[in-house]
Amino acid sequence: MEFFKDFFLFLRERKKWWLVPLIIIFLLFGILIFLTNGSALAPFIYSLF
């Protein structure tokens, strides 16, 4: 949890709020790929990239 605290303090101090949507999108893509790894949807997900 200390990593998230330090990261939030970094964003607040350096005014790098534009990084938040990028990180959220990367996390959502990672979760999507992880959850569809062994399913029948995998070929369709991978074709997006």
Side-chain angles (χ1 to χ4, degrees), residues 2-44:
E2 188 172 340
F3 171 75
F4 295 113
K5 178 183 164 189
D6 287 342
F7 186 68
F8 177 73
L9 291 175
F10 167 77
L11 292 176
R12 189 175 70 182
E13 183 176 326
R14 307 255 192 235
K15 308 275 193 284
K16 301 281 186 186
W17 294 112
W18 57 271
L19 287 173
V20 174
L22 289 175
I23 292 169
I24 290 172
I25 289 171
F26 286 145
L27 286 174
L28 289 175
F29 277 139
I31 291 170
L32 179 69
I33 290 171
F34 178 75
L35 291 178
T36 60
N37 194 14
S39 72
L41 294 174
F44 301 110

